[in-house]
Amino acid sequence: MKSLTIKKLFQMHSWVGILTGILLFIVAFTGALAVFARPELIIWSNATNSEVPQDVAPQQVERLVNQYSERVPEAFTENIHIYMATGHNTTELTLVFESHHGDDNYDVPVVYAFEINSNTLVLERDFYGVSKEYYQGRKDTAGAFISHFHADLHLGRPVGLILTGFMGLTLMISVITGLYIHRDMFKQLFTFRRKKSFSIVTSDAHKLFGLWGSIFHLVIGFTGAFLGLATVILLPAAAYVSFNGDQDKLVETFTAMPEPVISQQYQPTEIANIMTSITQRDDKATLLDLTVMAFNDENAKVYARMMGGENFASELLEYQGNGDFSKSMTSFGDIGGWAIIIIEWLFPLHFGNFAGVFVKILWGLLGLTTALIPLSGVMMWLAKRSRGNNSDLSVVAYQRWNRLIIGSCGGIVLACAVMFPAQVILNASVHGVAQNTWFAPLFFGSWLAWLVLCLLPINYRSLLRVNLVIVALALLAIVPLKVFTIDGYLGFVFAEHYRLVASIDLVFLLLGGLGCYAVTKLNKQPSGAIEQQLNEEIA
């Protein structure tokens, strides 16, 4: 009975991996990059010269809000969003004046938006129109594009979120079944025979990555499943059970920022004093944005969204318009309980943004192992079916499967690598939101071109070498392109304020060098029995 159970679990483990392995690699690999999207890669992508985003003094923020509030109708000052130039939302200080009820031109939420350079305080871009159109049309970057792809594969809602959510579920199933059917591998915690054949190395890596990272993989699977499925399945289900299907009522219940009552009595909103108070409360936390309700009214409220510092998850602070602190709460308002706390923890646990850059690096590396587990599992399955005299997978079919893996999985790596030198070129040639039209063609075009190439009857080892060479050259080209396109780049690369951007440039150089090293190692590796058999058949 026990052996039968293990056999069934093994079959489940195998088929879940085979059916979802390639897609799971794509989601996990882009997820490892998405860990660094906000703010690191967004700041890097917007560093077109020596300027990088910097904090704007509270007094200047208050002055700018007062200045631009005079340019909009009074109804739009009842709801003001102030996005700080941190790289989490944007690299410009952005003031968004919103009317939820529309205006004379629109019957839907409308905004006046002003994007201000955080260094010079010069207006970079303004916008008037439908709120949804503004947020969808904000300037994109290579890092943000990859992050969005990880979230919904750029398929939108609900299809994209459902797919990525189910990938989280399949990851959990694979880890649980894998740990159970491979219980004996706990005796081989430190076994990695790197000098053996490629099949043995792949098998050892698959087991070690699965065992050592099992807790991480389960956390990523659970949080990914929840974040993907919550808004498209769980939210409607909760509304149906508790609010008779009224999703708007459910959202209103969990909204931490209710609409204020306008008194029509003038009282200055002390934005500068509130920002100073926020810093004094926790100087290690990052102020992401402020929401001002009923600006310059006696009943004004200011909500500050914080991240980092002493808190594991994000924190929402409420202030009176006169600067008096009211309370601290979660993103769901005053609703308490362990369930809310756990939900609040899901996002930082998924992306590793709760304890500084070193945890992010750890999350990124572990995320790569999450991507390699399904990939190595598929490779093991193919190798097993192609071995022996009674193999049910021919050598030609084995080649086709490997070309498919290199085309899809290697293609996503290539597409991501190409995005970063392309970002440097776009920064030098295309201004602002006009860059947005380039990212999708570059990303999907390079991926599709590589996938088509891999459909040709070319030895898969040769394709793997070419893939590594292209990826390595793309990463190595970033710094030379910056030297060529950014005046004085070498002069300020060691400046204190440019440290983050220069560090990312250095990482790209190191990764490019690592790719070149991998190519040389691959060239020295002898062909396996399957490749030799194929060569004999071709001859």
Side-chain angles (χ1 to χ4, degrees), residues 17 52 58 130 175 222 230 259 283 330 341 349 406 430 432 438 505 523 539:
V52 294
V130 177
V175 172
F222 176 77
E259 293 287 343
D283 58 354
T330 70
I341 294 175
L349 278 174
I406 295 172
V430 182
W438 288 88
D505 289 340
N523 288 333

Side-chain angles (χ1 to χ4, degrees), residues 242-289:
S242 303
F243 297 89
N244 296 320
D246 190 345
Q247 293 189 38
D248 292 334
K249 184 65 176 178
L250 182 145
V251 173
E252 180 182 342
T253 302
F254 284 88
T255 297
M257 294 178 281
E259 293 287 343
V261 177
I262 309 298
S263 70
Q264 302 298 336
Q265 299 297 316
Y266 176 81
Q267 177 180 290
T269 302
E270 303 291 341
I271 294 176
N273 290 338
I274 291 172
M275 291 181 65
T276 302
S277 171
I278 291 170
T279 303
Q280 292 173 349
R281 285 179 57 86
D282 189 351
D283 58 354
K284 294 182 179 179
T286 300
L287 173 61
L288 300 180
D289 56 69

